[in-house]
Amino acid sequence: HLFATSEAEHHAVAREALKRAAEGDEAADLFAYGHALVQGRGGPVDLREAAIWLGRAQAKGFPGALALLDDACRQRAAI
């Protein structure tokens, strides 16, 4: 979808682009996609999937990737 018709559709297209970039296995791209999943940008919050991508980012040397997930889990538990 090059021409998204709504803001939600635009965000979903952007999230897919982040996923494609993350599949290249670069730490910053892994983190960016995991972060989008944590925040629910372009789709629902998916902490399980985020854990996979953020874990890979952390393993590739992206500091604090899993701390982001930990923070998100704590915030959700407090609700």
Side-chain angles (χ1 to χ4, degrees), residues 2 5-7 18-19 25 28 36 45 48 52-54 56-57 59-60 62-63 67 70-76 79:
L2 207 54
T5 57
S6 70
E7 187 173 345
L18 286 172
K19 183 177 183 180
D25 215 32
V45 169
R48 286 191 174 137
I52 294 167
W53 295 94
L54 293 172
R56 288 173 62 188
K60 291 273 184 177
F62 200 97
D70 190 44
D71 291 345
C73 289
R74 268 195 234 124
Q75 287 174 5
R76 289 181 67 92
I79 295 175

Side-chain angles (χ1 to χ4, degrees), residues 6 14 20-21 25 28 30-31 37 43 47 49-51 57 64-65 75-76:
S6 70
R20 282 193 304 277
D25 215 32
L30 294 164
F31 178 81
L37 292 167
L47 297 180
E49 188 72 10
Q75 287 174 5
R76 289 181 67 92

Side-chain angles (χ1 to χ4, degrees), residues 9-48:
E9 203 172 86
H10 173 75
H11 288 289
V13 168
R15 183 168 169 160
E16 274 302 307
L18 286 172
K19 183 177 183 180
R20 282 193 304 277
E23 289 168 345
D25 215 32
E26 293 294 325
D29 294 331
L30 294 164
F31 178 81
Y33 182 56
H35 192 236
L37 292 167
V38 166
Q39 290 188 329
R41 284 185 283 138
V45 169
D46 189 341
L47 297 180
R48 286 191 174 137

